[in-house]
Every structure is written in structure tokens, then in C-alpha cells.
Amino acid sequence: MADGPWHAEWTFISASGVTTGSADRPRYFDIRTAVLKDADKSLRDLSRDGTHARAEPWKLLVGALYSEAMLSADETGTWRYVSPDGWASVTIRFSP
């Protein structure tokens, strides 16, 4: 896994509101963790305790972050993901 610098920006729009963030980290693992943490937070139903099954957009984002995001950003410099339902917009940049 390539050492950075890595940069990510994200926006999640859900029934809970809008969650935005960004991160600059030397390791991709830390970028992925920051994105997933805010993605999870955006999907939490504050009226219920615990977590519940996630819908398809969540599964697609997790799969992409674990499979293609790092390799694609490493090769081309930028990886972008927009979920089909408009919930997620994530950009990851790698500039060695």
C-alpha cells in the first residue's frame, strides 16, 4: 500500500442531515477509516440504539473503498465515487 500523502473529501446526505468532511493522512488505511466513520454516522438513526442492516449504497461504498479506491487513486491520482441514490459523494486523491 502506497504511502501518501492521501487526501479525501466526502459528503453524505441522509435523513439525519448532511455530513461533510475531509482528511489528509500519510496512509490510505487512515483515509478509509475516516470516510467509513462519517458514512456510518450519517446513516445512524438517532432515535434507535445500535446499528441495523445497511442498504445497498453502503455496501457498494465499503466494497469500493476496500477494492478499487486505493489502486485507482494510486494509478491515476484521483478516485471518485457517487452512490446511485445520491447519498454519498467521495473523492480520494493520492499525490506522491
Side-chain angles (χ1 to χ4, degrees):
M1 192 170 292
D3 287 333
W6 290 93
H7 175 77
E9 297 172 357
W10 57 87
T11 300
F12 299 105
I13 302 170
S14 67
S16 301
V18 177
T19 304
T20 61
S22 65
D24 292 296
R25 305 282 192 280
R27 299 182 316 159
Y28 175 75
F29 171 83
D30 297 324
I31 288 288
R32 184 178 64 210
T33 300
V35 171
L36 290 175
K37 185 176 178 181
D38 268 5
D40 179 64
K41 184 171 77 172
S42 81
L43 292 174
R44 288 198 180 268
D45 182 350
L46 300 178
S47 65
R48 295 178 20 192
D49 288 336
T51 60
H52 56 283
R54 299 292 188 210
E56 194 66 24
W58 165 261
K59 295 172 187 174
L60 292 171
L61 174 63
V62 170
L65 285 170
Y66 275 89
S67 64
E68 70 182 55
M70 196 243 350
L71 295 174
S72 181
D74 188 22
E75 290 177 8
T76 65
T78 301
W79 175 80
R80 179 134 171 84
Y81 175 82
V82 177
S83 65
D85 66 352
W87 161 67
S89 174
V90 180
T91 302
I92 296 178
R93 291 186 188 91
F94 174 67
S95 40

